[in-house]
Amino acid sequence: MRPNLTPDAPPPAAQEVTPEIEALVRQTIGAELRRAFLPEFAPGENLDLVVRTVRNIYIRLVERGHASDYWRSEAPPDAVPPLWATVAKSVDWLDTKNGTGDHETAMRLMKLGEEVGEVMQAYIGTQGQNPRKGITHTRADVAAELCDVILTAAVALHRFTDDPAETLDHHAERVGRRIDQIRAW
């Protein structure tokens, strides 16, 4: 059975994702995007959740066009990485709207805690832990929430260093060296 992946289609009956259905989903979206990042769908995830994810991608395609740069990363080598460009926009917007005082710093740190809570909510939703709700999220939802945590942390990092990208790179290198030392034992 081929699911209807268009945004106005009625929701399908719940069924498990088979390799054939996953291939169809990837073919349908991949044909539009040519080179697309698609989330991994775990065996056993409900098809209706997969179809919702694909519909969201389809809607973005309709809104932005199939050849949109939103889906590609072909930036020149000297361009600011998308993470830090987005973080800089967010910081500028928040600083303009909310100011830069101690209260705003506290709000950004609390926002980070809120985002972590959303990760947990999404993960619980993938497990169907709440019997009243059942399975409400996909692995892709958890991944998106984790990305929100990373972005929110990067925005908060701006409050404590003049060069957050360099600070993060330096910290990652230190952690990498520690891992190498531990593995060498």
Side-chain angles (χ1 to χ4, degrees):
M1 172 183 107
R2 290 178 62 103
N4 184 345
L5 301 177
T6 58
D8 58 344
Q15 59 180 327
E16 288 190 2
V17 176
T18 63
E20 294 79 24
I21 290 174
E22 183 176 354
L24 173 64
V25 168
R26 289 181 180 283
Q27 176 185 0
T28 302
I29 300 300
E32 291 293 322
L33 302 177
R34 293 190 195 109
R35 295 180 312 136
F37 164 78
L38 291 175
E40 292 296 321
F41 299 115
E45 283 195 83
N46 286 338
L47 179 61
D48 59 328
L49 294 174
V50 173
V51 170
R52 266 191 293 180
T53 300
V54 171
R55 282 185 185 156
N56 287 338
I57 294 171
Y58 184 85
I59 289 166
R60 288 179 189 163
L61 280 171
V62 170
E63 289 173 350
R64 293 179 174 91
H66 74 279
S68 170
D69 288 340
Y70 179 83
W71 298 103
R72 293 172 173 69
S73 103
E74 298 172 355
D78 60 340
V80 174
L83 167 70
W84 294 110
T86 299
V87 167
K89 283 187 224 176
S90 296
V91 167
D92 183 55
W93 177 59
L94 289 169
D95 286 353
T96 300
K97 288 289 190 182
N98 300 340
T100 59
D102 290 342
H103 178 73
E104 180 60 19
T105 299
M107 293 294 102
R108 292 182 196 184
L109 294 171
M110 285 189 266
K111 179 65 175 172
L112 183 56
E114 177 194 352
E115 293 297 339
V116 170
E118 290 176 15
V119 169
M120 298 315 304
Q121 179 182 10
Y123 183 74
I124 288 168
T126 66
Q127 303 302 302
Q129 185 65 28
N130 184 335
R132 183 176 55 82
K133 294 180 180 178
I135 295 176
T136 58
H137 291 78
T138 65
R139 292 168 49 88
D141 295 327
V142 176
E145 294 299 344
L146 286 167
C147 290
D148 284 347
V149 168
I150 293 166
L151 287 166
T152 303
V155 168
L157 183 59
H158 264 268
R159 309 295 291 153
F160 299 95
T161 179
D162 292 331
D163 191 344
E166 183 178 321
T167 299
L168 180 61
D169 287 345
H170 179 70
H171 187 76
E173 289 168 2
R174 282 189 5 233
V175 170
R177 285 192 301 271
R178 284 195 311 246
I179 290 170
D180 291 343
Q181 289 171 349
I182 290 168
R183 291 176 85 183
W185 282 12

